[in-house]
């Protein structure tokens, strides 16, 4: 047996997971035994094991019964619920995220977990069985969403996260009474149903708690050989083999944890692959002994002799998902260089990792390194790129393969960047590979250097190197970064101690300089960061990427910093600048202060944000399932009469030579780390100067504030000074309802404003939603963002409830198709009810930012 938890202990653990009293669960178990629902057994060591079937019954009793005495009837009634016979089309309850694809509806993504034809109790037991088994737990984490039970009506649902209509979706597989079945007594008037109406509510159990329950459920050998586990696909079987192999090592628990994380990475990667089409595949590029795929990204108007960057993804990632997370194509558009994305195939590695640990794939003229070298030669020849400026970077297994390429073909690459990787030749085989990533392998600098020198006939000069690692990384131990530095300082003939030690955006940076002052090696240690790449999502020139599993929004962009280290950010400099007459950097227009048609050219236009005097204007992120956001910009404080007082002070100090012109953050290039403009601005606020001006300029009511900010429409408000706002200041609030007061059908509320877009416009905003449409399979509630009537972002709940209890940032929404146009930006909430039961859509929106907005025109 995988676990040995008996029923008595299981009820104690389940009570803790559900937040119920242990006495309550004990009484429910007593009722189950006394009614004959489960066989009696001794307490303590002799107690029968808590199998998935037993766990499912007790869980239904705890979730469905309004009162303890109704536990047995709840289990019998809800456990026997039958799957609803619904069509495969649009009438499945679901929540859809993101706009529909331009090409039209796509086929739904096939779920790995299949529970067809099972009663509710059997289906629930099947999910617990998969959550209990090591080889399938990661699949539950990636596909399952939660369990929903309605105590006011004998219906229940198992909800899954998947793709439908080309968008990420939560699909609800519902269960209801059979045609000849009676409802439970507390809902049956003929049997005296008179339960307290206050107990009639829905109960939801998220996947996180289901996994916890699975971990304390006993999986017998009979369960392990059941059809539920066997019916899963080949990828699951491959991961199961990896888990079985790793379980025999001292690091089995760490490997299991990493596999669970990789399942989430794979789920996000699959979502991106279903939507992203920026990369182009090249088929014929050589003999390809490593059997890799070649994908490329070439920006428009790529200059002749442009640099080339080779980008290597991590395990379970793809070229497209890594590009979206790291933001390399965004940077390539800005600075004019080509991108090459080698992609591993599932049949080469069961986790789609690059095989950096296998001798046949980490030596010169063999395997995967040769395939990547052939891709480089193909692109250099066809695109007339600069052979002297070829660079390579990667994260995790891609970082390890970056070390392999820099060692085996150092004459090809001018520089490299290893993120969360390991040194070259740190392992020989999978077993040593696991030992390396979980523990590390220590050698002297000379020993490490000799391994690279033996990998090729090259004797210098060696590529420059950037090394990044999070100090909280449990997947690849941070000591590996120090061993990489040993290897490369020895190759460059440098001392192990750095020439310069400093802090950038709060994180430690070390630099090793050549005799002529050139930076040869740099190392970033990201405080508090787990495994993956450091990113800083947003629209500013130093920001790019998207927060996702293994892409950590920590306020510093490794992508931008690496390109800057290689000298790529000087390419196509105009692409990073605002049009003539623009402010230097991101300018803002407060939601209730400056007139919308000020006529000032802006590189970044904030359309709804915090307007408190002295408050930071750009959010660093929201605490949410998908945390992301732009870094705080001290110039974006309150702007009475549309004046950026902080920016004016900064410009004055720069003109006087007292402040560096490239200051972006107070912790960056400010003298001695002191943000002088912020101090002066704060002093003015303390004296009441700025507050007095702001108070005199504030519109009198919500409607006036909307008009002052350029918005027009109905059903929306500008909430001013609301404590619930993202930063405590102003925010937009929209609400619409259907099914109330005798009204049914579609109801919509919108607000809109005009703006003119520049060359590469992107939209970002933060939101909180409350979409209540759980009336029947046809009621719906939605929130949409439209540009000229085209949906660019959307959340739609159909037959379900969707609530976002914390602020969620939506960064980097591409508006390139509207470039150089005057457009109408619209926010919309909509509700549809087909009966006199209320359906409601509510949205709170803040910090709306348009990157590359030329001007704003009053509606």
């Amino acid at each position: 047996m995988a676990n040995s938890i008996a029923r008595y202990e299981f009820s104690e653990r389940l009570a803790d997971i559900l937040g119920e009293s242990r006495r309550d669960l004990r009484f429910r178990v007593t009722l189950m035994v006394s009614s004959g629902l489960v066989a009696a057994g001794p307490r303590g060591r002799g107690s029968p094991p808590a199998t998935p079937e037993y766990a499912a019954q007790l869980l239904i009793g705890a979730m469905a019964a309004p009162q303890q005495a109704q536990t047995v009837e709840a289990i019998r009634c809800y456990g026997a619920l039958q799957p609803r016979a619904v069509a495969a089309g649009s009438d499945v309850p679901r929540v859809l995220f993101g706009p529909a694809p331009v090409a039209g509806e796509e086929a739904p993504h096939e779920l790995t977990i299949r529970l067809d034809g099972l009663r509710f109790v059997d289906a629930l037991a099947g999910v617990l069985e998969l959550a209990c088994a090591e080889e399938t737990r990661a699949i539950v984490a990636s596909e399952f969403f939660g369990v929903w039970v309605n105590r006011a009506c004998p219906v229940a649902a198992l909800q899954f996260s998947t793709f439908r209509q080309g968008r990420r979706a939560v699909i609800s597989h519902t269960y209801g009474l059979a045609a000849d079945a009676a409802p439970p007594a507390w809902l049956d008037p003929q049997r005296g149903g008179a339960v307290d109406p206050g107990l009639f509510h829905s109960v939801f159990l998220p996947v996180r708690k289901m996994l916890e329950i699975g971990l304390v459920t006993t999986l017998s050998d009979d369960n392990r050989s059941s059809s539920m586990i066997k019916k899963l696909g080949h990828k699951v079987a491959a991961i199961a083999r990896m888990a079985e192999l790793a379980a025999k090592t001292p690091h089995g628990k760490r490997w299991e944890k990493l596999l669970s994380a990789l399942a989430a990475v794979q789920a996000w990667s699959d979502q991106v692959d279903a939507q992203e089409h920026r990369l182009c595949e090249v088929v014929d590029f050589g003999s390809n002994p490593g059997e890799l795929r070649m994908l490329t990204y070439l920006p428009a108007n790529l200059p002749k002799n442009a640099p080339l960057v080779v980008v290597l993804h991590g395990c379970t990632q793809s070229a497209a998902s890594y590009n979206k997370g790291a933001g390399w194509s965004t940077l390539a558009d800005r600075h004019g260089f080509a991108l090459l994305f080698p992609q591993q195939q599932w049949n080469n590695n069961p986790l789609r990792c690059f095989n950096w640990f296998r001798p046949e794939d980490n030596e010169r003229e063999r395997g995967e390194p040769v395939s990547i070298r052939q891709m480089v030669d193909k692109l250099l020849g066809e695109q007339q790129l600069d052979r002297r400026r070829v660079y390579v970077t990667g994260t995790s297994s891609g970082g390890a393969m970056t070390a392999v390429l820099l060692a085996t073909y150092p004459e090809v690459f001018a520089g490299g960047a290893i993120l969360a990787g390991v040194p070259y030749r740190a392992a020989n085989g999978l077993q040593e590979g696991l030992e390396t990533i979980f523990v590390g392998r220590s050698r002297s600098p000379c020993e490490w250097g000799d391994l690279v020198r033996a990998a090729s006939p090259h004797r210098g000069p060696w590529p420059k190197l950037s090394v990044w690692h999070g100090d909280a990384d449990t997947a690849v131990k941070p000591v590996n970064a120090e061993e990489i530095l040993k290897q490369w300082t020895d190759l460059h003939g440098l001392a192990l101690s750095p020439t310069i030690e400093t802090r950038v955006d709060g994180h430690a940076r070390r630099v090793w300089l050549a005799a002529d002052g050139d930076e040869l090696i740099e190392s970033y240690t990201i405080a508090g960061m787990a495994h993956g790449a450091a990113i800083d999502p947003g629209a500013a020139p130093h920001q790019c990427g998207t927060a996702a599993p293994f892409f950590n929004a920590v306020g510093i962009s490794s992508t931008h910093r690496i390109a800057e280290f290689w000298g790529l950010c000087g390419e196509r400099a105009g692409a990073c600048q605002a049009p003539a007459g623009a402010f230097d950097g991101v300018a803002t227009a407060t939601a209730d202060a400056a007139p919308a048609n000020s006529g000032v050219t802006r590189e970044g236009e904030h359309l709804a944000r915090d307007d408190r005097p002295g408050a930071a204007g750009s959010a660093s992120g929201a605490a949410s399932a998908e945390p992301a956001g732009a870094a705080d910009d001290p110039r974006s404080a309150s702007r009475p009469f549309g004046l950026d007082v902080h920016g004016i002070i900064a410009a004055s100090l720069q003109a006087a030579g007292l402040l560096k012109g490239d200051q972006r953050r107070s912790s960056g290039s400010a003298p001695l780390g002191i943000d002088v403009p912020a101090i002066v601005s704060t002093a003015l606020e303390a004296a009441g100067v700025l507050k007095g001006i702001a108070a005199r300029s504030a519109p009198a009511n919500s409607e006036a504030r909307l008009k002052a900010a350029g918005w027009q429409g109905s059903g929306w408000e500008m909430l001013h000074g609301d404590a619930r706002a993202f930063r405590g200041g102003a925010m937009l609030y929209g609400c619409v309802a259907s099914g109330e007061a005798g009204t049914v059908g579609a109801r919509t509320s919108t607000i809109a404003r005009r703006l003119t877009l520049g060359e590469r416009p992107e939209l970002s905003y933060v939101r909180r939603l409350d979409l209540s449409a759980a009336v029947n399979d046809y009621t719906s509630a939605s929130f949409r963002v439209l540009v000229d009537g085209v949906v660019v972002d959307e959340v739609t709940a159909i037959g379900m409830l969707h609530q976002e209890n914390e602020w969620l940032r939506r960064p980097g929404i591409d508006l390139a198709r509207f470039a150089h146009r005057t457009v109408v930006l619209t926010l919309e909430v909509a509700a549809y009810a087909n009966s006199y039961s209320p359906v409601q859509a509510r949205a709170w929106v803040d910090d709306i930012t348009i990157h590359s907005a030329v001007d704003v025109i009053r509606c």
Side-chain angles (χ1 to χ4, degrees):
M1 293 184 181
N3 300 324
S4 58
I5 295 180
R7 289 180 186 172
Y8 178 78
E9 182 183 357
F10 176 80
S11 65
E12 309 283 294
R13 303 284 290 275
L14 181 62
D16 294 339
I17 294 171
L18 298 179
E20 303 287 347
S21 73
R22 293 187 174 186
R23 179 178 296 179
D24 178 88
L25 266 293
R26 290 185 203 133
F27 184 69
R28 293 180 189 272
V29 172
T30 300
L31 291 175
M32 292 169 62
V33 173
S34 62
S35 68
L37 196 61
V38 296
R43 295 176 60 172
R45 291 182 176 273
S47 178
T51 62
E53 293 76 14
Y54 171 83
Q57 289 182 325
L58 181 55
L59 186 58
I60 290 174
M63 293 181 68
Q67 296 178 349
Q68 289 178 333
Q70 296 152 346
T71 298
V72 173
E73 186 172 9
I75 294 172
R76 286 174 172 160
C77 178
Y78 280 77
L81 296 180
Q82 301 296 312
R84 289 279 303 272
V86 295
S90 60
D91 57 348
V92 179
R94 63 204 182 276
V95 179
L96 298 173
F97 301 88
V102 177
E105 183 170 332
E106 300 178 7
H109 174 70
E110 191 71 18
L111 287 168
T112 304
I113 301 175
R114 302 299 299 272
L115 304 170
D116 302 337
L118 298 178
R119 298 180 307 160
F120 181 59
V121 66
D122 298 326
L124 187 59
V127 174
L128 288 172
E129 180 183 318
L130 297 176
C132 183
E134 293 181 2
E135 58 266 40
T136 53
R137 190 175 302 128
I139 304 304
V140 176
S142 65
E143 288 195 355
F144 195 65
F145 188 76
V147 183
W148 176 82
V149 172
N150 191 333
R151 290 179 174 177
C153 180
V155 293
L158 297 178
Q159 298 175 348
F160 295 86
S161 177
T162 182
F163 265 84
R164 180 170 291 272
Q165 299 172 6
R167 292 174 282 180
R168 185 168 67 89
V170 174
I171 302 297
S172 185
H173 291 190
T174 57
Y175 296 80
L177 285 174
D180 56 347
W186 69 85
L187 295 175
D188 189 350
Q190 297 181 358
R191 290 187 286 170
V195 176
D196 182 359
L199 297 176
F200 287 171
H201 61 271
S202 298
V203 181
F204 180 76
L205 196 68
V207 61
R208 174 179 57 83
K209 290 188 177 292
M210 285 292 290
L211 291 170
E212 292 180 33
I213 297 171
L215 287 172
V216 297
T217 302
T218 300
L219 187 66
S220 66
D221 293 335
D222 291 338
N223 290 126
R224 190 172 293 280
S225 61
S226 74
S227 59
M228 183 60 63
I229 294 178
K230 286 184 174 181
K231 69 171 61 174
L232 300 184
H234 70 282
K235 291 181 185 178
V236 180
I239 292 177
R241 288 195 297 271
M242 296 287 287
E244 185 178 349
L245 175 62
K248 301 176 182 177
T249 74
H251 313 293
K253 291 297 183 183
R254 287 188 176 184
W255 184 239
E256 179 185 338
K257 182 179 179 181
L258 178 57
L259 286 176
S260 296
L262 289 174
V265 175
Q266 180 187 332
W268 183 76
S269 183
D270 290 343
Q271 294 169 8
V272 174
D273 289 343
Q275 293 179 313
E276 285 289 317
H277 304 289
R278 298 200 82 188
L279 308 186
C280 297
E281 183 166 8
V282 179
V283 178
D284 184 15
F285 57 85
S287 60
N288 189 19
E291 299 182 2
L292 304 178
R293 295 176 62 192
M294 175 182 177
L295 295 98
T296 64
Y297 180 76
L298 304 175
N301 303 318
L302 183 68
K304 189 176 180 180
N305 292 323
L308 170 64
V309 177
V310 181
V311 183
L312 302 171
H313 63 78
C315 296
T316 69
Q317 294 174 330
S318 65
S321 66
Y322 189 89
N323 175 54
K324 186 175 183 65
W328 273 105
S329 62
T330 300
L331 221 60
D333 285 335
R334 290 175 184 169
H335 303 295
F337 54 83
L339 293 172
L340 166 62
F341 293 89
Q343 180 171 298
Q344 183 62 279
Q345 300 199 69
W346 289 106
N347 58 352
N348 287 346
N349 185 290
L351 295 178
R352 199 155 67 180
C353 307
F354 287 102
N355 293 303
W356 56 273
F357 49 85
R358 300 192 334 185
E360 59 269 32
D361 285 307
N362 64 16
E363 295 180 359
R364 188 179 175 97
E365 304 302 331
R366 296 188 69 183
E368 293 172 12
V370 175
S371 293
I372 297 173
R373 169 65 192 272
Q374 290 173 347
M375 297 179 195
V376 171
D377 290 340
K378 173 82 170 180
L379 206 54
L380 288 174
E382 286 189 349
Q383 300 298 324
Q384 296 182 322
L385 304 175
D386 191 346
R387 292 181 176 272
R388 299 168 301 173
R389 294 188 294 167
V390 181
Y391 305 90
V392 60
T393 181
T395 301
S396 194
S397 74
M401 184 53 70
T402 296
V404 170
L405 291 170
L406 291 173
T408 55
Y409 293 103
E411 75 279 8
V412 174
F413 301 101
I418 301 174
L419 291 76
V422 300
Y424 174 65
R425 280 300 181 94
N428 185 8
L430 177 60
Q431 198 69 30
E432 288 189 6
L434 293 175
E435 189 77 19
T436 297
I437 65 174
F438 292 140
V439 178
R441 187 175 298 275
S442 179
R443 290 189 173 103
S444 69
C446 184
E447 288 175 320
W448 280 124
D450 287 343
L451 290 173
V452 176
R453 282 184 283 268
S456 76
H458 185 76
R459 289 299 173 262
W462 297 97
K464 62 193 309 184
L465 182 67
S466 180
V467 180
W468 293 69
H469 218 114
D471 66 5
D473 192 337
T474 59
V476 178
K477 197 165 185 179
V479 70
N480 283 287
E482 302 306 312
E483 299 302 308
I484 295 171
L485 294 171
K486 284 184 185 180
Q487 191 167 59
W488 283 86
T489 52
D490 180 75
L491 288 171
H492 283 285
L494 302 172
L496 193 54
S497 58
T499 312
I500 300 172
E501 294 187 72
T502 185
R503 298 190 74 80
V504 178
D505 297 331
H507 305 288
R509 181 183 187 241
R510 293 172 287 169
V511 183
W512 285 259
L513 300 181
D516 60 359
D518 186 27
E519 295 185 351
L520 295 179
I521 302 173
E522 70 170 2
S523 170
Y524 281 87
T525 302
I526 308 303
M529 189 180 82
H531 188 62
I535 64 167
D536 185 10
H542 62 282
Q543 297 175 313
C544 59
T546 301
F550 287 2
F551 292 103
N552 307 302
V554 292
I556 183 172
S557 170
S558 59
T559 306
H560 175 80
R561 295 283 179 178
I562 289 167
E564 201 170 46
F565 177 68
W566 291 338
L568 301 184
C569 290
E571 306 290 328
R572 196 188 286 180
C576 290
Q577 304 300 322
F583 282 109
D584 178 21
V586 179
T588 62
T590 309
D592 63 344
N597 60 343
S598 59
V600 179
T601 304
R602 292 175 170 89
E603 173 67 15
E605 184 67 38
H606 293 249
L607 304 179
R609 61 181 315 122
D610 181 3
D611 61 346
R612 292 173 301 160
S618 181
S620 61
S624 66
E626 188 181 336
D632 290 341
D633 187 341
R635 289 172 298 183
S636 57
S638 181
R639 298 167 184 260
F641 296 128
L643 297 178
D644 180 5
V645 178
H646 186 111
I648 293 171
I649 296 170
S652 301
L653 292 173
Q654 290 170 15
L658 301 177
L659 191 66
K660 294 181 179 180
D662 61 348
Q663 179 180 350
R664 282 198 298 259
R665 296 185 175 97
S666 61
S667 59
S669 57
L672 303 179
I674 301 173
D675 188 355
V676 180
I679 294 173
V680 179
S681 295
T682 305
L684 291 174
E685 292 165 13
V689 176
L690 297 186
K691 291 181 180 179
I693 297 174
R696 289 194 300 272
S697 63
N701 53 52
S702 176
E703 183 179 356
R705 294 188 190 105
L706 282 173
K707 291 183 178 179
W711 295 99
Q712 285 191 348
S714 61
W716 285 75
E717 301 177 66
M718 175 78 75
L719 302 182
H720 181 68
D722 196 303
R724 297 170 298 177
F726 181 60
R727 287 285 189 175
M731 65 176 170
L732 298 172
Y733 169 71
C735 179
V736 68
S738 179
E740 293 181 327
T743 62
V744 294
R747 295 290 184 271
T748 304
S749 293
T750 63
I751 57 168
R753 67 175 299 171
R754 288 186 181 275
L755 63 151
T756 300
L757 303 180
E759 183 178 0
R760 285 175 301 278
E762 287 185 347
L763 166 68
S764 69
Y765 68 95
V766 295
R767 73 170 188 235
R768 287 176 54 202
L769 301 179
D770 182 358
L771 307 178
S772 301
V775 175
N776 56 58
D777 290 357
Y778 303 96
T779 54
S780 65
S782 66
F783 166 76
R784 302 198 302 172
V785 181
L786 304 93
V787 176
D788 274 359
V790 177
V791 179
V792 297
D793 198 26
E794 177 181 7
V795 180
T796 299
I798 303 173
M800 288 180 63
L801 174 70
H802 174 72
Q803 292 179 322
E804 296 171 354
N805 296 321
E806 296 176 322
W807 287 102
L808 177 70
R809 178 169 289 281
R810 292 288 290 123
I813 299 173
D814 187 11
L815 304 181
R817 61 186 133 166
F818 308 103
H820 304 297
R821 285 170 49 182
T822 298
V823 298
V824 177
L825 174 67
T826 303
L827 305 180
E828 174 193 283
V829 285
Y832 170 79
N834 55 6
S835 64
Y836 297 124
S837 297
V839 174
Q840 189 177 63
R842 298 195 296 167
W844 295 263
V845 182
D846 201 350
D847 202 28
I848 303 175
T849 306
I850 299 287
H851 172 65
S852 189
V854 175
D855 61 0
V856 178
I857 304 170
R858 183 183 294 275
C859 293

